Amino acid sequence: MAENKRKTYYITTPIYYPSDKLHIGHAYTTVAADSMARYKRMRGYDVWFLTGADEHGQKIERKAKSVGKTPKEYVDEIVAGFIHLWDKLQISNDDFIRTTEERHQRVVQNIFQKLYDNGDIYKSEYEGWYCTPCETFWTEKQLVDKCCPDCGRGVELLKEESYFFRMSKYQDRLLEHIKNNPDFIQPTSRMNEMISFIERGLEDLCVSRTTFKWGIPVPFDEKHVIYVWIDALTNYISALGYGSGDEKYEKYWPADLHLVGKDIMRFHTIIWPAILMAAGLELPKKVFGHGWLMLAEGKMSKSKGNVVDPLELIDKYGVDAIRYYLVREIPTGADGHYSEEALVERINTDLANDFGNLLSRTTAMINKFNGGLVPIPSEEEAIDSELREFARETVNNVENLMEDFELSNAVGEIWKLVNRTNKYIEETAPWTLARDPEKKSRLETVLYYMAEALRICTVMCTPFMPGLPPKVWKQLGIENNAEVHTWDSLQKWGALPSGARINRGEPLFPRIDLKKIDQQQDKRASKVEKDQKVQRAAHDNVLNLEEEITIEEFSKVDLRVAEVIKAEKVKNADKLLKLEVDLGAEKRTVVAGIAEYYKPEEMVGKKIVLVANLKPAKIRGITSQGMILAASKGDKLGVITLERDIPAGARVK
Ligand code: MSP
């Protein structure tokens, strides 16, 4: 019964596009939301924490095609990677919604129908700049030199039949709602941006497309698929089972917090509320737009080849350190800057030095000066009450900052207490007290206060670094005292049980050698630079040629005509085909990385060009006796074939 009375807290992350693997910027959003979800659970809320994947759309349809997969096969693989990453980052989500799930599609169609039935969706024509080879509409603003921003070719002004959502109708209601609920859009700077955007006038929104298929069909017009935002945004209620009688919807909607990046604020604070108003549903209580994690050279992006893989960092530095760094590095409302040096610096300073030293000094001194038992404190002196008071204020400040989603500052407050406690140790100098038997009870009080302040810091770290507290509890000998690990236990100074037996352990965060990291970084930077040079060259239409060679050097490469007589896929290797080729005088086996572009049966009978004197190499257990020639650019690849029928074995020069 008590369960039902608990206050609920529903928090969401954006649902990520499975067009590629996620990078450290995406990890930030989810870690931040997870920290909040864990915090609210500690505060006694009945929390529902949702994340997921936004799987439809033309980009994904194309990406899948380019690698020879169906869109579903493609997203299944990438989404499995999302789930693995969240697992490694210890994300405590209660559900994971995929827009390809039936439970989601049903709700999207239901909302679309509802809006159509009440006249908020109508059929009209969408006019835009169309790139025929890319089958994509662009707005005037998106064009680059009046050409397609993707392929650079010419575009034409075309009209397409589309459904539109009457967003303009909700403009005034929306403005009123935002102004009457100053908490709705946070931080305030983003609220002001949104207000001026709405005041410039809202246009109706194109919500269906006929130019691609990978989406949810419009329920009453199967020629159309529902375009992006009605599909994506509806996840927040479809995951709660809206319309299916699921009690989760009644219990958790409206959401307490949609956490999103600043780039998708407009969708969440304008389009989504307008859809909800049109459907007669309540609006979320708060949308918080966080800043971005930037690199020195700007945005992280796959095409620039500079994305930072969170899995690599977790393996290298541990999950708690990465979570700490992410939450600490992005200040509320502003962007943060990522560099591996800054990450290592944080680990060495905040975690190894400040926190690590507090733990190791506390446990070492209790061991040495009090036989390994947490002492009983006696009378308090001014310096002790000052520490106790500082701890009380810190808890208060952290609670207030968490309410405002000021995660970075909340962690900063905890570290003020860590450092205040380290200072307390310097000021009280327990090693001096230990030399004087008359100061025994004073020493006991000081040791107790150190340990209690450490306990308080650790409890407050729990939402941000869930792996940390159990290790500290073990060292303080209180792993079985769950009642002193809770947020409630922070209300009263002195919850740490005297008599607990210390178990000194390894340092929690060993220091990292920055020099080693620099060397690795240099290697990586030169690779990125080389990749960027090649990409720039491709973009600027210059041929970034290899160094010059002589005709003698070229003639060392023995190229021969070869006929493919057999082709099959290599087991457990998506990219490889095993070919059997005829060179006239002999037959050979060759492994080629072309399986994403050619089906085995397409290759049989082709006359291709083989580098016949290449040193054999073992690939997936198969000895490959040569290499076939192919040309590739971007996501296209073509094998070199002969224009006339020349016998197998003939030399190519
Ligand atoms: N699918 C949409 C969201 C639909 S929600 C109904 C989408 N997906 S996304 O994968 O492109 O981005 C998801 C989130 O990651 C966004 O909130 C975006 O701001 C965030 N980030 C992407 N790169 C980021 C950084 N470099 N730093 C911080 N967050 C970043 O948009």
Side-chain angles (χ1 to χ4, degrees), residues 545-557:
L545 293 180
E546 297 290 348
E547 69 183 83
E548 191 175 273
I549 55 167
T550 62
I551 185 78
E552 289 76 27
E553 280 167 318
F554 171 69
S555 61
K556 281 192 189 160
V557 184

Side-chain angles (χ1 to χ4, degrees), residues 14-17 23 25-26 54 232 236 261 263-264 268 290 292-293:
I15 48 173
Y16 300 91
Y17 287 131
H23 58 60
H26 303 114
D54 185 0
Y236 300 128
D263 53 319
I264 53 173
H268 285 80
H290 65 70
W292 272 40
L293 197 59

Side-chain angles (χ1 to χ4, degrees), residues 319-366:
V319 57
D320 282 326
I322 301 304
R323 287 180 61 118
Y324 174 84
Y325 172 77
L326 286 174
V327 170
R328 186 88 201 245
E329 212 61 21
I330 300 200
T332 310
D335 289 340
H337 291 275
Y338 172 83
S339 78
E340 198 158 345
E341 286 87 350
L343 164 64
V344 169
E345 181 71 29
R346 280 262 179 236
I347 296 176
N348 285 346
T349 310
D350 299 10
L351 301 178
N353 261 7
D354 300 347
F355 195 94
N357 275 348
L358 174 58
L359 174 67
S360 73
R361 288 161 106 188
T362 305
T363 53
M365 286 189 223
I366 294 179

Side-chain angles (χ1 to χ4, degrees), residues 13-20 22-30 53-55 82 228-229 231-236 259-265 267-268 290-295 298-300 330 335-336:
T13 72
I15 48 173
Y16 300 91
Y17 287 131
S19 42
D20 262 312
L22 297 178
H23 58 60
I24 192 82
H26 303 114
Y28 167 74
T29 315
T30 307
D54 185 0
E55 305 186 5
F82 288 8
V228 198
W229 289 101
D231 176 359
L233 291 159
T234 302
N235 89 86
Y236 300 128
L259 177 65
V260 300
K262 59 182 183 181
D263 53 319
I264 53 173
M265 275 306 262
F267 305 108
H268 285 80
H290 65 70
W292 272 40
L293 197 59
M294 307 293 283
L295 298 175
K299 266 192 187 176
M300 232 174 276
I330 300 200
D335 289 340

Side-chain angles (χ1 to χ4, degrees), residues 581-631:
V581 296
D582 184 1
L583 281 174
E586 59 178 276
K587 293 196 174 58
R588 293 217 188 158
T589 302
V590 177
V591 177
I594 56 171
E596 290 171 319
Y597 307 91
Y598 289 92
K599 295 205 181 82
E601 58 273 21
E602 263 181 275
M603 288 302 296
V604 176
K606 272 198 187 359
K607 283 213 169 140
I608 56 165
V609 177
L610 185 82
V611 185
N613 63 336
L614 193 70
K615 192 173 167 195
K618 222 171 190 157
I619 304 173
R620 297 281 172 135
I622 306 165
T623 306
S624 179
Q625 304 159 295
M627 183 176 82
I628 71 168
L629 296 190

